[in-house]
Structure formats: structure tokens, C-alpha cells
Amino acid sequence: MTQPQRSIDDLRAEIDQINRDLLTLLSRRGEVVAQIGHAKTREGRPHHYDPAREEKQLKEVETLNPGPFTGAAVKAIFKEIFKASLALEESNDKKQLLVSRKVKDEDTVLDIDGVRVGGDAPPIIVAGPCSIESEEQMETTARFLAAKGVKILRGGAYKPRTSPYGFQGMGVDGLIIGGRAARDNGMLFVTEVMDTRDVEVVAEHADLLQVGARNMHNFSLLREVGRSRRPVLLKRGLSATIEEWLYAAEYILSEGNNEVILCERGIRTFEKWTRNTLDLSAVALAKQETHLPVIVDVTHAAGRRDLLIPLAKAALAVGADGIHVEVHPSPATALSDNEQQLDFAGYERFMDALSPMLRLPVGV
């Protein structure tokens, strides 16, 4: 006995109900996806996309497909569902990130022993030699920079070098020298920490802990400096995306330390005429997406003295909260990166060129 023919209106009504059922299932799927995203964040897993998991699901739905749609059509439909689910997972995750403006809309302003960084504070200058080489070198540099109004002295006691035979820094002796030079001249001291085992001793001598570009993905170190309760200067990795950079900051904030300064220092590209390629769009984006202060290291971006002034001007123009620059009493005799450090006369020219952009903001 043949089934009675159904009217178009009746069939359309069934389609409408199926659409509603599909929408209910898709919404339920979205809720579960969001829960997975939150679980990944809690576990410290920044990457949401899992190609192996996606491929497994696609093979399963293709195998179970009863028709009448072809396997290719079913895979295409589910790929779109997976794409929308991934976007939802990432979007929900970003809303929960402690670095995000969706969590904290107002700018974070660090107040480190009276030195304000971020928000409506005037742009800061972080300056000093690449490596700490001697007590005389650091005292001479600190005295000169302090007289020029610099409040944060930098200097590397531990130096991550591409070559294992390059100067690796003075270690604890360098920390003592750098910390004393800064204190004696009314400055703060920032230096890089490279190993979780060194965080405690570096924090004894430094006012700010720097996580260098090569350690941006060192998640154990990020957690440890987060627990140190010292302000952290976090440099962007050599080839890190902006998202990876912000997730690195999230590691620090997740340990209860919200005193983080982001530092763009250029990324590695095919370009050979500069040491790195300064990504100014990253500065603007980081300021837009996060509430954290953002400064720019023009020295490591350029790798050459003749570009420091225009790059610093450009950085301040896009909203950077400060400039990081290397200064040495005698760059020609420096034990590391001598071709990119400014001497004292060069720093004076540098500051003369930037001074109009370093004035106090209106209303402050």
C-alpha cells in the first residue's frame, strides 16, 4: 500500500521542526565547547585547535553517514560546525583572560616605588648597558642616566647568547653591582632572569624581573616569576604571535601577579638590514586588547644606532608607554652587542629628539 502524498506545507512544517531541533543540538554543542575551552585554560593549554581530534570526528561522521548526503557534503557541513565552535571556544576564552580588557577595562598603572608605568603616566625610559661588565661601568652609566631623568636602569647579569662561547654575564656578582648602582643613584634596577632556580636570587637584587624573548615560552619560568610578586618585564618571543605573547603574560597573571609590562622588541623575519623587524601593529593591538602597559625595545629591534630615533618616535606615536634602549660608556669595547648600544653623547641626541613626545599628558 503506497503512502499518501504529503503536501508541501506539511513537509515544510517538518523541515521547520527539524531546523529547531538542529538549533537546539547546536546550542548544546556550543555550551559543551565553551566548557572545554575553559578547562583548557585552567590546565594551561593555550592552543584550542586540535587537528588530530578534528580529523577523527570527520572520519567518524563520514563512516556513520546514512545518506542521502554524500560523505563529502557531510564533512563540509561538519567542518563549518567545527570552525564556528573553535571561534566560540577562543572568543569565550579571551573574555576570561586576566590580561583582557573584557575582564578589566581600565589601564593597569604600575607604581614601582614611585615610578609609574602605563595609563596616564608619562612614557618611561628604560636604559643601560646590554651586559653588566664591571662596577665602574655600571656606576658611570647609572650616574649619567640618573642625571638625565632615567628612573629604570637595565643591565644583564645573565646573558642568553646564541653562541655558547659568547660572554654569558657575571651572574650573582653582576646582580650585586647592578642593584647597588641603581640604588645609589635613586633608580630601579631591571635585569633578566633565565632559570626558575635563579628567580629568588634575582628578585633579591632587582626591582623588576625581565623575561627575555628566548624565554617567553618557558612556562615554568613564567609561573615562577608570577609567584615572585616582583613586577615583570615580558619581552615578545623571537617569532611569537601576539596571541602567544598575551598568553605568556596570562601565565604570570594567573599566579596572582598583575604587575606585568609587555615589551615589543621586534620579531624575526626574512629581512637582513635590521636585527629584527619592529612590529608596531603589535603595540597598538596589545594596548587595545589588554590593560597592561606596553613598551618598545628599539635597540634589539633595529640592531643599529642610526634607526633608534625614528623607531622610538614611531613607537611613542602608536601609544607605547615607554622606550627600552641600551646605553654603554664605551660601546666599542662592550663585551656584547657593541654595534647597537649608544654612547653617552648618542643618548643625549636620542633624548633631545624624543623630548617633545615625552612630556606629561594633558591634564596630568
Side-chain angles (χ1 to χ4, degrees), residues 183-238:
R183 287 192 304 275
D184 289 350
N185 289 278
M187 306 170 78
L188 302 176
F189 177 46
V190 59
T191 191
E192 182 170 356
V193 57
M194 295 172 53
D195 194 302
T196 55
R197 295 168 295 183
D198 297 327
V199 171
E200 185 175 355
V201 66
V202 174
E204 286 180 17
H205 300 279
D207 302 286
L208 298 91
L209 306 181
Q210 176 182 308
V211 176
R214 291 172 178 82
N215 268 315
M216 193 211 78
H217 285 296
N218 186 338
F219 303 122
S220 296
L221 180 61
L222 295 174
R223 289 194 183 280
E224 196 64 29
V225 297
R227 299 185 191 110
S228 74
R229 298 301 184 267
R230 282 284 193 216
V232 179
L233 178 66
L234 176 64
K235 288 197 171 185
R236 184 181 178 187
L238 302 177

Side-chain angles (χ1 to χ4, degrees), residues 26 29 33 75-86:
L26 285 172
R29 191 183 195 282
V33 162
K75 286 179 70 174
I77 291 168
F78 273 87
K79 279 185 177 180
E80 288 301 313
I81 293 173
F82 295 163
K83 182 179 178 181
S85 297
L86 178 62

Side-chain angles (χ1 to χ4, degrees), residues 91-166:
S91 174
N92 283 344
D93 190 25
K94 286 179 180 177
K95 290 177 184 176
Q96 302 300 318
L97 290 180
L98 297 171
V99 300
S100 173
R101 283 200 183 274
K102 294 175 181 176
V103 170
K104 181 186 177 188
D105 183 55
E106 68 275 11
D107 289 335
T108 288
V109 181
L110 276 62
D111 189 330
I112 313 168
D113 293 336
V115 178
R116 299 175 72 246
V117 186
D120 61 355
I124 61 163
I125 298 292
V126 180
C130 174
S131 301
I132 297 171
E133 300 166 1
S134 70
E135 190 169 349
E136 180 184 3
Q137 171 227 25
M138 288 303 293
E139 176 58 34
T140 301
T141 305
R143 191 184 315 116
F144 167 77
L145 292 173
K148 299 299 178 183
V150 176
K151 298 297 183 182
I152 303 179
L153 176 70
R154 64 144 284 120
Y158 300 92
K159 295 302 298 177
R161 306 303 301 280
T162 301
S163 168
Y165 306 111

Side-chain angles (χ1 to χ4, degrees), residues 310-354:
L311 291 185
K313 285 182 175 180
L316 293 171
V318 298
D321 295 297
I323 299 296
H324 183 288
V325 63
E326 291 185 354
V327 179
H328 192 286
S330 176
T333 61
L335 297 180
S336 59
D337 292 343
N338 54 11
E339 73 285 350
Q340 66 186 28
Q341 300 184 69
L342 294 172
D343 61 15
F344 292 173
Y347 181 76
E348 288 182 330
R349 291 190 294 272
F350 180 81
M351 286 305 296
D352 286 344
L354 293 187

Side-chain angles (χ1 to χ4, degrees), residues 48-70:
H48 292 276
Y49 180 55
D50 185 342
R53 166 72 176 157
E54 180 177 294
E55 185 62 26
K56 180 181 178 182
Q57 291 180 89
L58 289 173
K59 284 182 178 178
E60 183 177 16
V61 296
E62 189 175 21
T63 301
L64 297 175
N65 174 32
F69 291 114
T70 65

